[in-house]
Amino acid sequence: ANYGVQTQRVTLAADSYLEYLPEPTIPYRDSRFLTHTELRVDPSATLLYGETLMPGRKYHAGGEIFAYEVSSSMLRAARPQGPELFVEEFLIEPGRHDVARLGVMGGFHVFANVVLMTPPEVAARVFDRTTPTWDDRTPLIAGVSRLPNDAGVIYKVLGPESEPVRDAVRAFCAIAREEAVGRAVPRPFAWR
């Protein structure tokens, strides 16, 4: 009868490092979910922030693919004392607009969005090491773009299931961590 809201504020001081990559959001039938995230990151800090959106409870009671009413995600990024660096918003209303059409999700179900806010020299190295992906076998599509105002880079992935998308995000995060702090990502847990 109503909706769920998540509000987050992440602030990073000088020379700090944070990875925030929560589990995917899985909207259930007829749900309405809004999230608003504000990132305040010092120019010398590094933040890996990710969101993954599932199509719904895909295998629940015959499937709930794109059966939710609204999924809204607003992301605002700025320096601690200003200025605003960029704003990104996704407003998905499957009942009003066909999400499965070409140019939106196409034949894909899972979407991941990873923002890497980091100093420009680190962002340039990550950008150069991240290869765009178009894999018809999986299938999987992924690519990296530069964020405005020398804020860093953004990495987007589309896939049919969560595991290939998670693997692509993990590979991107491994590159980002290596370039930002010179450390490798630990091996995945055995039960994955």
Side-chain angles (χ1 to χ4, degrees):
N2 214 318
Y3 58 92
V5 177
Q6 171 180 276
T7 303
Q8 305 175 101
R9 178 182 234 175
V10 179
T11 303
L12 270 66
D15 299 317
S16 58
Y17 180 85
L18 175 67
E19 294 178 10
Y20 181 65
L21 303 159
E23 291 297 314
T25 299
I26 306 172
Y28 58 88
R29 182 180 305 281
D30 300 325
S31 65
R32 294 178 294 280
F33 179 64
L34 295 84
T35 180
H36 182 266
T37 302
E38 184 179 311
L39 307 175
R40 294 200 172 269
V41 180
D42 185 88
S44 65
T46 295
L47 170 65
L48 255 171
Y49 172 84
E51 297 175 313
T52 301
L53 180 64
M54 302 292 285
R57 297 182 299 178
K58 190 171 181 174
Y59 300 105
H60 174 75
E64 292 182 357
I65 297 176
F66 304 125
Y68 54 91
E69 285 191 27
V70 176
S71 179
S72 174
S73 175
M74 167 79 75
L75 178 68
R76 292 185 173 277
R79 296 298 178 209
Q81 304 305 320
E84 189 164 84
L85 299 170
F86 64 90
V87 176
E88 183 172 54
E89 181 177 15
F90 297 102
L91 176 60
I92 306 166
E93 298 175 288
R96 294 185 65 195
H97 307 284
D98 181 14
V99 178
R101 75 180 186 272
L102 192 62
V104 182
M105 292 295 285
F108 299 103
H109 291 154
V110 182
F111 170 69
N113 192 47
V114 182
V115 171
L116 172 64
M117 294 183 69
T118 194
E121 61 277 6
V122 175
R125 292 193 307 266
V126 172
F127 183 88
D128 290 344
R129 286 185 60 191
T130 305
T131 305
T133 302
W134 186 290
D135 180 354
D136 288 326
R137 290 169 289 134
T138 303
L140 187 83
I141 296 174
V144 66
S145 299
R146 297 180 199 281
L147 289 168
N149 300 309
D150 283 329
V153 295
I154 190 165
Y155 182 68
K156 297 178 183 288
V157 186
L158 289 172
E161 301 288 341
S162 61
E163 286 308 312
V165 172
R166 183 185 304 243
D167 292 345
V169 167
R170 182 178 173 79
F172 174 78
C173 292
I175 292 169
R177 185 187 286 187
E178 287 172 11
E179 293 298 340
V181 294
R183 301 275 187 183
V185 171
R187 293 176 52 190
F189 290 116
W191 58 80
R192 272 215 18 191

